[in-house]
Amino acid sequence: MIDDARVSWRHATIAWNGRGWGLEDHGSTNGTYVHGSRVQQTELVPGTPVHLGNATDGPRLNLSAAVAAAAAAPAYQGQAPAYEAPPQQQAWQQQAQPQQAPLQQQAPPQQAQPHFPQQQGGGAHPAQAAAPGYSDRSPTTFHQIAVGHVMRIGRALENELVVSDLQVSRHHAEFRSTGGRFEIHDLGSHNGTYVNGQPLPKSGTALLGPNDIVGVGHSTFRIVGDRLEEFVDTGEVSFSARHLTVTVDGGKQILKDVTFGVPEKSLIGVIGPSGSGKSTLLKALTGYRPANQGDVLYDNRNLYKQFAELRQRIGLVPQDDILHKELKVSTALKYAAKLRFPGDTAESERAARIDEVLRELKLDIHKDKKITSLSGGQRKRVSVALELLTKPSLIFLDEPTSGLDPGMDRDVMQLLRGLADDGRTVLVVTHSVAELSICDKLLVMAPGGSVAYFGPPAEALNFFGYSTWADVFSAFENFRDYDWAGRWKGSQHYQLYAADIDAVAPQSVAMPSQQQMNPPKPQAWGSQLWTLIRRYVSVIASDKGFLALMVLLPAVLGVVSVVIPAKFGLAPPTPPSRFNGDAGTIMLILCVGMCFSGAANSVRELIKERVIYERERATGLSRSAYLMSKVIVLGVITAIQGVIICAIGFTPRKLPAEGLFMPPAVELCIAVTALGFTAMMFGLVISSLVKTAEKTMPLLVMFAIIQVVFTGILFQLYDKIGLEQFAYLMPSRWAVGAAGTTLNLGKLMAPWDPENPTNTDPLWDPSAGQWFLDIFVLLALGVACGFAVARLLRRHEPEVMRK
């Protein structure tokens, strides 16, 4: 095993072939090099230097003559050459002995500092002249930039600097050295190139100064002299909150001066009674709702000011599952990877990453199961797997054990412990206190949003002076006015675990513009739309009950309209009778039925996916693409329902001999289907307004009843000041108006004023122009609803992303 970020999980194999040692590269990302040239397969001879991951300073394998000779002897067959470190890392060197095991490597007792030549002009060594945010870390590697040279960065192997990260585009950016100046040029990357945390415009260029940091995926770069230092985020990063205060309307503080520091690769538990600000703290720590005062520092970089870049390195698992439960595990992760990874990521690359995550979380045996069939703990693992796709260094979880039995509670906490041990920092907000001992540090929030304790969980109960957490929470409730924060700051635990961080004053740098804080979209708008449509269709297709109801509902409504007796159907009566009062009733039932059916299709669709949308929006999902995917899929379903209800409702009826410009059945079907579409858009408005799915049904019934009243069939609406204008907002009014122009309802139905029979509803004027006007206004109402939904969706997005 070679612990280097540039070496792949399964990089290469060295084997004795009977004649000598042979080396075979297994398609590694950064390559295997012999004499500076990349090789796939080669024979090794004594003295041949082999570099892994980088042709100049990558970890080196060296075959010595002694080992080669010993391998040829029967007593030593099967031995491999010893691992030898590059000169810059003497702590990795070891002497090869014939009796040693194959391919040995000894970990250094401490991090060795690479040796750099002195910079011209009396500059400090790069290892000493630390970049902002990296004062406690040495570069992962460095690269030489020659004057006039262009160094291209990307995921593809033909780049001069290969970054093994699926968040990076195949050809991402270029470092250019011209006239003694350095600049970075974005090559139209999907996830963006960042300078000091701010995104460059696509294909944009920026000059670089000596302290500027360039972000590409999980890697950051800094130019020192003529060298390019690379820092790879492998999880060994610090995270701290300093003086966080959140104030709501009225000046009430719901989070008060919260300060703590998280050790790298650790598991932090956050507990506290209801009203202690745990959810508010989580939103502040993730950047979803920045604190009014204070800073959140990720690797000494301000998260709020550099949210667009750093959000890629933070995972968030909300309390509710962020997956479509109707899909299989592998299918749900496939669509998530399609949305989160750059558009030029190959299907095989996404599949490999999904398989890797499934194996890590022991979900590979469940990958072909529907998420609904999994236990609560397994579903939570799938939510964690979705976040691990992008290899975040910091993971937040909100109540992951809520609703789970004690056994599953323990399994989930042990999972989080394993994630931390594997090189991530995990912060979990929980109500469960049974497994707190598994955490490295514990943060206890007091009522009012202040810190009551931060330190080892084993010392927490002794700090409060109680034997159980139930007693501690009771004390919080019984002594709400007690200064818990003051008690904490006056304690020895505070001096040990928080005083040094608390002493640092918050930074006062101005926040960037909202546009600079918005993350770029990893996929093009059209690609996102196509992926969302496919996923939505897969979700609907997997729900057999919904599919049956989708067909059954319009069929039943169509049959109900047929039950209404009508001697003349929808055609004008034959003499001596003059009027056909049943025609209006039939159209009333058909239109209101279509209105109810269309709204019912969509009234739950946004509220049930709200948590999913919130998380995906934070990772770069396009709001308009998401909304358009709903409109297209539900619009097609509604159109099919419109054809069904019209086919059943009109087939047994006698229709007029001619329409205005098309067959009357087609004109009527278009009016009814357009009504269904607009009603579907009204359903989306309801779904975006409500806070719970239970509130959608009463609003749906109310909406349908209002449409019955304002069709213009039951009573006269025109020439009624106020009532007529309000009816213009009702889609059923315009749909019945379009049907009335085809059927000439003004003459077919008995007049509202027998003394003035020519005074008919103007929306029923039997002309092609009036029909088009009715249809246009009907569809315009639907479009207006679409804009309203887009505005309402903003309320469910991270605050830093709201335009």
Side-chain angles (χ1 to χ4, degrees):
M1 188 191 73
I2 299 177
D3 187 11
D4 190 288
R6 295 162 294 179
V7 178
S8 298
W9 287 95
R10 187 169 181 266
H11 195 103
T13 295
I14 299 175
W16 178 258
N17 57 20
R19 305 182 310 275
W21 291 103
L23 180 143
E24 180 182 1
D25 185 276
H26 294 297
S28 61
T29 301
N30 294 325
T32 302
Y33 300 86
V34 175
H35 295 300
S37 300
R38 185 163 185 166
V39 297
Q40 182 66 32
Q41 193 170 10
T42 186
E43 294 287 334
L44 296 179
V45 298
T48 301
V50 179
H51 289 274
L52 305 181
N54 188 287
T56 56
D57 68 331
R60 189 175 73 189
L61 306 175
N62 187 50
L63 180 69
S64 67
V67 174
Y76 302 110
Q77 282 191 4
Q79 291 180 343
Y83 168 76
E84 182 180 345
Q88 294 90 341
Q89 294 178 324
Q90 298 297 331
W92 291 66
Q93 286 188 339
Q94 65 179 31
Q95 197 70 21
Q97 299 293 336
Q99 293 82 10
Q100 289 177 331
L103 197 59
Q104 301 168 31
Q105 175 187 350
Q106 297 177 356
Q110 60 184 1
Q111 179 68 35
Q113 297 293 335
H115 172 72
F116 294 88
Q118 185 74 19
Q119 300 293 313
Q120 294 181 357
H125 292 347
Q128 298 169 348
Y134 297 94
S135 58
D136 55 350
R137 290 203 285 139
S138 297
T140 306
T141 186
F142 63 90
H143 311 272
Q144 191 77 27
I145 302 182
V147 177
H149 181 64
V150 175
M151 178 179 289
R152 189 171 57 185
I153 305 173
R155 199 176 72 251
L157 299 179
E158 59 266 22
N159 292 285
E160 288 81 1
L161 202 165
V162 179
V163 179
S164 178
D165 183 356
L166 291 183
Q167 295 279 33
V168 177
S169 299
R170 294 184 60 82
H171 301 98
H172 197 102
E174 289 179 345
F175 279 103
R176 298 172 177 174
S177 173
T178 56
R181 300 189 307 173
F182 294 97
E183 62 183 25
I184 182 70
H185 175 70
D186 183 82
L187 297 177
S189 61
H190 294 81
N191 277 333
T193 303
Y194 301 84
V195 177
N196 299 324
Q198 308 308 317
L200 280 181
K202 280 191 180 293
S203 303
T205 302
L207 289 175
L208 299 177
N211 293 320
D212 290 334
I213 294 177
V214 176
V216 175
H218 287 80
S219 297
T220 47
F221 302 88
R222 187 179 68 117
I223 293 177
V224 178
D226 59 350
R227 296 182 187 275
L228 181 67
E229 294 184 348
E230 179 181 2
F231 299 82
V232 179
D233 186 348
T234 58
E236 298 178 352
V237 295
S238 61
F239 183 80
S240 63
R242 297 180 180 177
H243 307 284
L244 296 183
T245 300
V246 174
T247 306
V248 295
D249 295 338
K252 180 181 178 181
Q253 291 184 343
I254 57 177
L255 203 66
K256 299 179 181 178
D257 197 27
V258 174
T259 297
F260 64 95
V262 177
E264 63 184 39
K265 298 184 179 181
S266 59
L267 175 60
I268 310 299
V270 180
I271 63 172
S274 298
S276 59
K278 298 187 300 296
S279 297
T280 303
L281 174 63
L282 192 65
K283 292 179 180 179
L285 294 177
T286 56
Y288 271 46
R289 199 287 187 195
N292 300 99
Q293 301 175 26
D295 304 302
V296 176
L297 301 183
Y298 177 97
D299 205 19
N300 292 329
R301 302 173 66 187
N302 193 296
L303 175 65
Y304 297 159
K305 301 179 182 70
Q306 304 182 23
F307 178 79
E309 176 187 354
L310 297 181
R311 56 98 190 178
Q312 303 179 39
R313 311 186 190 184
I314 296 177
L316 173 62
V317 181
Q319 181 175 348
D320 297 323
D321 292 327
I322 49 178
L323 297 156
H324 293 88
K325 300 178 182 179
E326 303 86 354
L327 299 178
K328 294 180 180 179
V329 172
S330 57
T331 303
L333 293 180
K334 180 187 72 173
Y335 286 121
K338 179 70 175 175
L339 288 172
R340 296 193 180 196
F341 289 140
D344 59 0
T345 307
E347 185 72 28
S348 59
E349 292 177 300
R350 292 195 298 268
R353 179 58 189 155
I354 291 172
D355 290 342
E356 184 180 349
V357 170
L358 290 175
R359 286 194 302 270
E360 180 180 0
L361 298 181
K362 297 180 176 60
L363 287 170
D364 47 337
I365 60 175
H366 303 295
K367 67 178 182 180
D368 293 325
K369 295 180 181 178
K370 283 191 174 183
I371 298 175
T372 51
S373 67
L374 301 178
S375 66
Q378 290 169 341
R379 284 201 299 271
K380 191 58 64 177
R381 283 177 179 263
V382 178
S383 294
V384 173
L386 187 149
E387 290 301 312
L388 291 185
L389 289 174
T390 55
K391 296 185 178 181
S393 302
L394 186 63
I395 302 177
F396 293 93
L397 299 100
D398 187 11
E399 300 286 355
T401 61
S402 177
L404 302 183
D405 60 50
M408 289 184 180
D409 181 1
R410 181 177 58 188
D411 291 343
V412 172
M413 292 301 291
Q414 288 178 343
L415 165 67
L416 303 183
R417 177 73 265 171
L419 293 178
D421 293 340
D422 287 341
R424 306 174 184 90
T425 298
V426 182
L427 189 146
V428 53
V429 175
T430 179
H431 277 297
S432 175
V433 297
E435 303 294 332
L436 293 179
S437 60
I438 207 171
C439 298
D440 297 299
K441 290 290 189 297
L442 180 65
L443 175 66
V444 182
M445 300 295 294
S450 58
V451 177
Y453 174 81
F454 179 74
E459 303 174 15
L461 287 175
N462 183 57
F463 171 82
F464 288 106
Y466 293 99
S467 58
T468 66
W469 282 109
D471 294 332
V472 175
F473 279 42
S474 295
F476 283 148
E477 182 64 29
N478 296 332
F479 305 99
R480 299 187 69 89
D481 295 332
Y482 182 76
D483 187 9
W484 295 100
R487 181 177 184 272
W488 155 243
K489 291 189 175 182
S491 68
Q492 184 178 4
H493 285 78
Y494 170 79
Q495 298 298 326
L496 288 174
Y497 303 116
D500 55 339
I501 298 177
D502 202 16
V504 179
Q507 300 178 14
S508 58
V509 181
M511 295 285 282
S513 67
Q514 290 283 19
Q515 186 63 34
Q516 289 177 310
M517 297 177 72
N518 285 333
K521 299 174 179 59
Q523 299 278 334
W525 188 89
S527 178
Q528 282 197 8
L529 175 63
W530 177 237
T531 300
L532 291 167
I533 289 175
R534 289 169 55 202
R535 183 177 70 178
Y536 194 24
V537 170
S538 297
V539 171
I540 293 176
S542 63
D543 190 346
K544 307 302 180 186
F546 178 80
L547 288 175
L549 185 62
M550 181 185 71
V551 176
L552 187 62
L553 180 61
V556 170
L557 294 174
V559 171
V560 168
S561 71
V562 175
V563 174
I564 301 174
K567 182 177 181 180
F568 305 107
L570 294 171
T574 55
S577 177
R578 181 180 176 187
F579 303 115
N580 183 4
D582 295 326
T585 304
I586 294 170
M587 288 310 306
L588 170 68
I589 297 300
L590 288 174
C591 287
V592 172
M594 188 69 247
C595 193
F596 180 83
S597 182
N601 288 337
S602 61
V603 76
R604 287 178 177 264
E605 292 309 296
L606 297 182
I607 180 62
K608 74 179 185 181
E609 291 186 359
R610 183 159 295 170
V611 176
I612 299 175
Y613 173 74
E614 288 177 357
R615 182 62 192 131
E616 291 184 341
R617 177 68 175 138
T619 61
L621 178 71
S622 168
R623 182 196 309 145
S624 58
Y626 175 79
L627 177 57
M628 189 57 65
S629 70
K630 298 294 183 186
V631 172
I632 292 175
V633 175
L634 293 174
V636 171
I637 292 174
T638 303
I640 295 174
Q641 291 177 325
V643 173
I644 293 174
I645 199 171
C646 289
I648 297 176
F650 294 149
T651 298
R653 304 294 188 184
K654 183 179 180 182
L655 298 176
E658 295 181 357
L660 297 173
F661 60 98
M662 287 187 296
V666 177
E667 292 180 4
L668 293 172
C669 187
I670 291 175
V672 172
T673 302
L675 172 61
F677 172 81
T678 301
M680 180 268 294
M681 298 301 295
F682 269 90
L684 289 178
V685 173
I686 295 174
S687 190
S688 61
L689 278 172
V690 297
K691 293 184 178 180
T692 61
E694 289 75 16
K695 296 179 180 179
T696 58
M697 287 299 103
L699 292 175
L700 174 62
V701 173
M702 181 182 69
F703 172 72
I705 291 176
I706 291 177
Q707 301 312 306
V708 174
V709 175
F710 289 98
T711 55
I713 296 291
L714 298 180
F715 60 94
Q716 180 180 340
L717 287 175
Y718 62 95
D719 293 339
K720 303 290 185 181
I721 302 300
L723 194 62
E724 179 182 16
Q725 287 71 31
F726 180 77
Y728 287 159
L729 300 175
M730 300 297 113
S732 62
R733 172 79 169 122
W734 298 96
V736 171
T741 61
T742 298
L743 300 174
N744 196 6
L745 283 179
K747 299 296 182 183
L748 195 61
M749 294 177 58
W752 299 114
D753 184 6
E755 297 181 359
N756 188 11
T758 59
N759 184 17
T760 59
D761 195 326
L763 269 61
W764 297 354
D765 182 32
S767 65
Q770 184 61 49
W771 185 92
F772 278 109
L773 177 62
D774 292 340
I775 296 297
F776 173 80
V777 175
L778 180 59
L779 294 178
L781 288 174
V783 173
C785 288
F787 283 104
V789 173
R791 295 290 296 177
L792 291 170
L793 282 176
R794 291 177 62 253
R795 302 184 306 161
H796 311 296
E797 299 174 0
E799 187 168 316
V800 295
M801 296 178 63
R802 298 176 189 174
K803 296 182 181 178

